[in-house]
Amino acid sequence: MNTQRRPRLTRTDWLVAGLSALCEQGPGALGAEPLARRVGATKGSFYWHFTDVPAYNLALLGLWESAARQALAASAEADATNATRLRTTAQMIAATSTSDTPALRAEPAIRAWARDDSNCASVVAEVDEARLQQLRGLLSACGIDNGEMARILYASAIGMEDLHDRDAAQNSDAIGSLVDLVLALR
């Protein structure tokens, strides 16, 4: 008989497992039972960390939102020119699926989830607005006051994420070229 105990799962372990499940199987995999099977634990362990599945979902969305805002802040604080910060911000958005941060890699799955879940859609909308505000501010600092340009850059970056399975390596260069083109219009 094996007397070794498995280490106890932490809240973070459950959230990371949820991100993987969401990416691989969609939001239907975010129930207590499928997640418990996935990590080889009991539902009791799940409920030790989360009061219910909606609370878990909110925690998962909070993890993604926090990672997205941290990445946005890091690109804004880069020691560079406004044009370079603009390029860095757009490239960060276009390359979330290849990020070192698991929560950011889940962005395409989070966006798909938001199509059918109002709580998720609300969180995505908040992140979208924060990113658009930063792009608008950087464009303005570069002498481009056409607010539509921020939306065009953002939509292009988000759209490039849909190509991540085939062309992820090309996304950063492509969005960088679009930023360069927009800046050339000044």
Side-chain angles (χ1 to χ4, degrees), residues 36-101:
R37 278 193 310 269
R38 182 181 189 91
V39 298
T42 65
K43 288 190 300 185
S45 174
F46 176 90
Y47 289 114
W48 176 261
H49 296 287
F50 306 97
T51 56
D52 55 21
V53 173
Y56 175 79
N57 290 347
L58 288 175
L60 195 64
L61 290 169
L63 179 65
W64 172 75
E65 180 182 19
S66 176
R69 289 183 182 275
Q70 287 173 5
L72 191 60
S75 65
E77 295 169 1
D79 188 22
T81 66
N82 288 321
T84 303
R85 279 193 290 278
L86 176 63
R87 192 175 219 274
T88 299
T89 299
Q91 287 175 318
M92 177 272 300
I93 296 166
T96 57
S97 65
T98 58
S99 171
D100 292 336
T101 305

Side-chain angles (χ1 to χ4, degrees), residues 99-170:
S99 171
D100 292 336
T101 305
L104 288 180
R105 283 195 307 270
E107 182 158 334
I110 297 276
R111 288 186 173 283
W113 182 18
R115 290 184 193 111
D116 296 321
D117 184 281
S118 60
N119 289 330
C120 186
S122 175
V123 173
V124 169
E126 290 175 20
V127 169
D128 286 346
E129 187 53 37
R131 288 173 173 173
L132 280 165
Q133 282 180 359
Q134 184 160 315
L135 289 170
R136 279 187 212 105
L138 289 167
L139 282 163
S140 181
C142 291
I144 299 172
D145 292 318
N146 180 344
E148 293 175 354
M149 285 297 171
R151 193 163 184 80
I152 291 167
L153 286 174
Y154 191 56
S156 297
I158 294 299
M160 285 182 190
E161 276 299 274
D162 280 341
L163 299 174
H164 78 276
D165 287 339
R166 298 176 301 237
D167 305 317
Q170 298 173 28

